[in-house]
Amino acid sequence: MDGDEDQPLRAVDARAVAGGHFRYFDFVMAAFVTILLLSNVIGAGKRAVIDLPGIGPWPFGAGILFFPVSYVLGDVLTEVYGYARARRCIWAGFGAMIFMVFMSWVVVALPPDVGWTGQAAYESVFGQVPRIVAASICAFWAGEFANSFVLAKMKIWTEGKYLWTRTIGSTVVGQGVDSLIFYPLAFLGAPDWPVHAMLLVMLSQFVLKVSWEVLLTPFTYAVVGFLKRREGVDVYDRHTDFTPFRAKV
C-alpha cells in the first residue's frame, strides 16, 4: 500500500483491500497491456527460424518470445494483488485488443494517397485474417482467466508456499486452454492446415510457452518479492467472487 519504503508483509483477504490504493499496480497493469498488444502486433505476423543442434532449422512464430511474458505478468498480478485486480487487467487487455483490431481495420481500409507505396506493407502487417484475430482474442480471454483462477486457488491450497508450483501449474492450465481454443478456431479446416499438422503445431507451441514460463521463474520470484515488500501485503482470495464477467475490484 502507500509508503516510501519496504513494509512489513501481512497476509490479508482480498476483500480487505478492495478499495485500497497500491503503489505499483498501475505500472504492472500498463506493462501487461503493452506486452499483450505489442506481442500481437509486432510478433504475430513473423515466422522466424532457429538452427537447433542435432535437429536443424526449427521455424517458430516470433510472438512466442514475448507473448508468454503476459502470462508471467498475469501471475504477478494475481499473486500480488489478487484475482479481482487481475480480472480488471484482463478486461483492459481485452478492450485494448478489440480497439487495436478496429484501428488496424480502419487504417488498412483507408484509400492510400497517390504515390504512397506503403499500402502493401501495411496490409501485410496489419491486415490480419478476421478468423485468426477472433480466435486470438477468444483464446487470450479464456486462457488468462483460467490462469488467474488456478493460481488464486492454488495459493490458498499451498498456504502461500511454493510459488513455483502455482506459477507453472496455472500456466499449464492457462496455456492449455489458450491453445485448445486458438488453433481449432483459427485453422481447423483451413487450406494447408491438415488436422495432424495443426495438432503438431499446437502441441509444440504449448510446450515452448510452458518451458518459457519455467525459465522465467527466477524473474517471477524477483518481481513478486519486490512488489510484496513494497506494497506490504500478501493478498489471498479466500472469499472472492471468481466470476469473469465483471471488472469491478
Side-chain angles (χ1 to χ4, degrees):
M1 306 295 278
D2 292 327
D4 294 325
E5 303 295 337
D6 291 354
Q7 303 178 50
L9 196 61
R10 56 191 178 92
V12 298
D13 188 271
R15 294 185 303 179
V17 293
H21 173 72
F22 288 97
R23 300 169 61 194
Y24 292 98
F25 171 72
D26 293 342
F27 294 104
V28 181
M29 180 177 183
F32 174 80
V33 175
T34 298
I35 292 174
L36 174 66
L37 293 179
L38 293 181
S39 63
N40 277 275
V41 172
I42 298 176
K46 181 172 181 177
R47 187 171 67 250
V49 66
I50 185 173
D51 193 359
L52 296 176
I55 298 178
W58 183 276
F60 64 95
I64 197 174
L65 293 176
F66 295 99
F67 176 72
V69 178
S70 68
Y71 272 81
V72 172
L73 289 178
D75 290 344
V76 171
L77 283 163
T78 306
E79 174 69 24
V80 177
Y81 300 106
Y83 176 87
R85 282 183 168 80
R87 175 176 58 198
R88 189 174 183 85
C89 291
I90 294 171
W91 277 112
F94 181 81
M97 289 182 70
I98 294 293
F99 179 76
M100 179 189 71
V101 171
F102 172 73
M103 182 175 176
S104 299
W105 175 76
V106 170
V107 171
V108 170
L110 287 173
D113 186 28
V114 176
W116 187 68
T117 60
Q119 181 64 18
Y122 250 75
E123 291 178 358
S124 176
V125 175
F126 297 108
Q128 302 180 44
V129 179
R131 177 181 175 181
I132 296 177
V133 171
S136 178
I137 293 175
C138 292
F140 155 77
W141 185 89
E144 284 287 354
F145 272 118
N147 180 79
S148 185
F149 174 80
V150 170
L151 190 142
K153 286 294 187 179
M154 287 187 68
K155 184 173 184 179
I156 297 172
W157 300 337
T158 61
E159 298 181 344
K161 303 174 182 177
Y162 316 118
L163 174 60
W164 65 272
T165 62
R166 50 187 182 274
T167 59
I168 296 174
S170 64
T171 297
V172 169
V173 175
Q175 293 286 9
V177 170
D178 186 294
S179 298
L180 288 171
I181 291 176
F182 174 72
Y183 286 97
L185 283 182
F187 302 115
L188 186 62
D192 301 324
W193 277 90
V195 174
H196 71 276
M198 182 196 73
L199 293 176
L200 180 61
V201 172
M202 181 171 66
L203 178 61
S204 64
Q205 294 290 91
F206 168 76
V207 171
L208 287 171
K209 290 175 181 178
V210 173
S211 299
W212 195 210
E213 168 77 28
V214 173
L215 290 174
L216 288 174
T217 296
F219 170 79
T220 305
Y221 264 80
V223 174
V224 166
F226 170 81
L227 289 174
K228 283 184 177 181
R229 290 192 303 271
R230 300 293 280 179
E231 303 291 9
V233 294
D234 192 11
V235 178
Y236 288 79
D237 287 288
R238 292 191 176 91
H239 302 94
T240 298
D241 180 359
F242 284 100
T243 176
F245 300 108
R246 60 184 297 181
K248 183 178 179 181
V249 175

